[in-house]
Amino acid sequence: MYIKSLRIQHFKSFGGSNNDITGDGGGSTLVPFSKGFVCVTGPNGAGKSNLLDAVCFALTLDPSYLRAKELKDLLPQSHNTPSSSDRVTQVELTIDNRVGSGGGGKRPFPHLQEDEYVLCARIARATAASTSSSSSSSSSSATAAAGPSSSSSSSQQLSYNVQYRINGKLKQRRDVRLFLRELNINADEPATWLVGQNQVTMIPTLDPSRLASLVSQAAGTKGFEENVALAQKEIVKWEEIETTTRSNIKALQVQLAKDRANSE
């Protein structure tokens, strides 16, 4: 299984026309990936980091993981106006659920019946008349609760939310994340599989304990270590309770012995 392609439309620095790496048209940028190790190179400002952001967006990560404060920051600057609300901002990530060549390989996850899965994340925008400076928008049943944000003017405002699809079918974000878990991708703990741009130079300078923590996260054992730490705290708490209880029992025994002596 591998990421076969990435289609980007009106996302960050990627526009919506005449921008196709493959030249197939369609008003979006299609980035094909080969099997094995893939390296994306280019000059500063070419959009390399935005490619990784697009992958993370399709994998349901929050804007904070995409070097953005809110959803509207994922749109090209010119798209955050009411007049541009009809423009589609979305990312499609195609996963090939096969191994081998020639399209006839076996599926590494046999319980997943499709040869390919297309994960789509789309930012839906809506305009509404308003006289307030800010508001929040509620999500529909098939819309992600990924922190809808809004931007307003004196008469209109734009609200944002994210809609997710798997092979064209609307899904809740939690459903997409459950599906990703079946692929051994834990979107709830990105540190187990994602190394951000600012972390590449940071990792070699980490002290041993912090580096060990990062490795445990990547290995997926961080959760077990946290459970052990919680259990140890519980043990300490109950040991203190036991000590206090034993001390009280001893004091009561002493008092009981005195009362018996006095009664005799």
Side-chain angles (χ1 to χ4, degrees), residues 5 22 27 40 54 63 65 70 87-88 101 108 120 156 161 176 181 184 190-191 194 207 213 215 231 263:
S5 65
T22 59
V40 180
Y65 286 99
E70 48 189 339
R87 296 179 182 175
V88 176
S101 59
C120 177
Q156 285 185 316
N161 52 50
V176 180
R181 279 183 176 270
N184 295 330
L194 174 66
D207 61 82
S213 175
V215 170
S263 64

Side-chain angles (χ1 to χ4, degrees), residues 155-202:
S155 60
Q156 285 185 316
Q157 70 177 16
L158 277 175
S159 61
Y160 305 81
N161 52 50
V162 186
Q163 296 175 340
Y164 294 102
R165 287 178 171 83
I166 298 179
N167 285 357
K169 296 181 180 179
L170 281 169
K171 299 288 184 179
Q172 293 276 3
R173 183 169 72 162
R174 64 174 178 270
D175 296 327
V176 180
R177 291 194 168 190
L178 287 174
F179 170 77
L180 291 173
R181 279 183 176 270
E182 295 187 64
L183 307 181
N184 295 330
I185 299 174
N186 187 354
D188 294 313
E189 294 186 22
T192 60
W193 51 270
L194 174 66
V195 178
Q197 184 179 20
N198 62 332
Q199 294 177 298
V200 174
T201 55
M202 177 195 71

Side-chain angles (χ1 to χ4, degrees), residues 14-210:
F14 292 91
S17 62
N18 300 321
N19 201 28
D20 299 278
I21 293 178
T22 59
D24 70 342
S28 60
T29 301
L30 179 62
V31 185
F33 294 103
S34 58
K35 296 180 180 179
F37 186 82
V38 176
C39 182
V40 180
T41 62
N44 291 337
K48 302 183 299 295
S49 298
N50 288 343
L51 280 177
L52 179 59
D53 290 341
V55 171
C56 293
F57 179 57
L59 296 178
T60 74
L61 296 197
D62 293 325
S64 58
Y65 286 99
L66 315 178
R67 302 174 299 133
K69 292 183 179 179
E70 48 189 339
L71 288 177
K72 68 178 183 179
D73 296 333
L74 302 179
L75 279 62
Q77 194 67 29
S78 61
H79 288 27
N80 286 308
T81 61
S83 61
S84 66
S85 61
D86 59 336
R87 296 179 182 175
V88 176
T89 296
Q90 71 177 26
V91 174
E92 291 183 350
L93 183 72
T94 301
I95 298 175
D96 193 317
N97 186 32
R98 294 167 293 186
V99 294
S101 59
K106 296 180 180 179
R107 298 189 183 101
F109 298 93
H111 61 286
L112 299 177
Q113 299 302 313
E114 302 294 333
D115 289 338
E116 290 185 356
Y117 286 91
V118 179
L119 308 182
C120 177
R122 174 174 179 166
I123 298 179
R125 286 168 288 175
T127 57
S130 175
T131 56
S132 62
S133 60
S134 65
S135 72
S136 59
S137 129
S138 61
S139 302
S140 67
S141 61
T143 301
S149 60
S150 62
S151 166
S152 65
S153 63
S154 59
S155 60
Q156 285 185 316
Q157 70 177 16
L158 277 175
S159 61
Y160 305 81
N161 52 50
V162 186
Q163 296 175 340
Y164 294 102
R165 287 178 171 83
I166 298 179
N167 285 357
K169 296 181 180 179
L170 281 169
K171 299 288 184 179
Q172 293 276 3
R173 183 169 72 162
R174 64 174 178 270
D175 296 327
V176 180
R177 291 194 168 190
L178 287 174
F179 170 77
L180 291 173
R181 279 183 176 270
E182 295 187 64
L183 307 181
N184 295 330
I185 299 174
N186 187 354
D188 294 313
E189 294 186 22
T192 60
W193 51 270
L194 174 66
V195 178
Q197 184 179 20
N198 62 332
Q199 294 177 298
V200 174
T201 55
M202 177 195 71
I203 291 176
T205 64
L206 293 176
D207 61 82
S209 61
R210 182 69 185 91

